[in-house]
Amino acid sequence: MGIINNGPNGPFIGRMGNMVCYMLNGQNVCRQIGLNNKPPSELQLRNRVATKLSGEFTLVIRDFIETGFSIEAKLRNDNAYNQTIKYNKSRMIEGTYPALKIAYSQILLSKGLLKPAENWKVTQFPMGLQFTWHTDPKMAWPEAAEQVMILAYFPNEKRAEYLLFGNDRISGSATLELPPSLQGKYMETYLSFIAADRKQVADSVYTGSFNKSETTDNLLLNS
């Protein structure tokens, strides 16, 4: 380990080649990064696959979670992407390595204090999906003005179709139109609500899958 006295440009912090430099007790120190020739453990291999699966999924739906986890991110002084991963990573992967897959029913795409959807139903029709939920004609503002958030994720295509600010909660229904190329494909669906002033959201609800079969299961082997 070497000690670098501050020069005209100040201390160096970061990695350079196989050396990493940082501040320790007021001194700028550097150390060589050692090589690890030990084979990875099964737990390490599982974590690598889990990270890959969760990362791929979350990147596809990033615009949705930027809204869905925005309130949680502010509370934690963090960003929405990090908070989504932190909350979901331990619960969104199931199976025994190497046969790991995403547990879509366990994933939360939005997190907040608003009332989640109740007595929901999703129906597939030729042009897309019809979402319905319980509503009360006497529902007071601002609950009545909360807007629906709906999403369909297509695991095989690694694509998502969604609506961030849809119909008001009081309407009791919303339609998510799908492009012809995705109609009839295997999809996983979610439903949530966001306040009209964007200052609060509801916990998302997993609303089931469509067109799933054994051949479309998102099983990842020997990754």
Side-chain angles (χ1 to χ4, degrees), residues 126-174:
M127 298 298 292
L129 299 171
Q130 180 76 26
F131 291 76
T132 61
W133 57 87
H134 170 74
T135 187
D136 183 349
K138 298 180 181 179
M139 186 182 298
W141 186 91
E143 183 180 12
E146 294 165 5
Q147 292 178 276
V148 70
M149 300 171 60
I150 47 182
L151 178 141
Y153 174 70
F154 299 83
N156 296 330
E157 288 74 24
K158 290 184 172 57
R159 284 185 58 182
E161 296 292 325
Y162 52 86
L163 185 63
L164 285 179
F165 311 116
N167 292 348
D168 291 350
R169 186 192 283 262
I170 192 68
S171 70
S173 67

Side-chain angles (χ1 to χ4, degrees), residues 196-216:
D197 62 6
R198 311 293 186 255
K199 292 182 179 181
Q200 194 52 261
V201 295
D203 284 2
S204 64
V205 175
Y206 171 72
T207 50
S209 65
F210 292 87
N211 313 314
K212 186 177 181 179
S213 68
E214 291 184 2
T215 57
T216 59

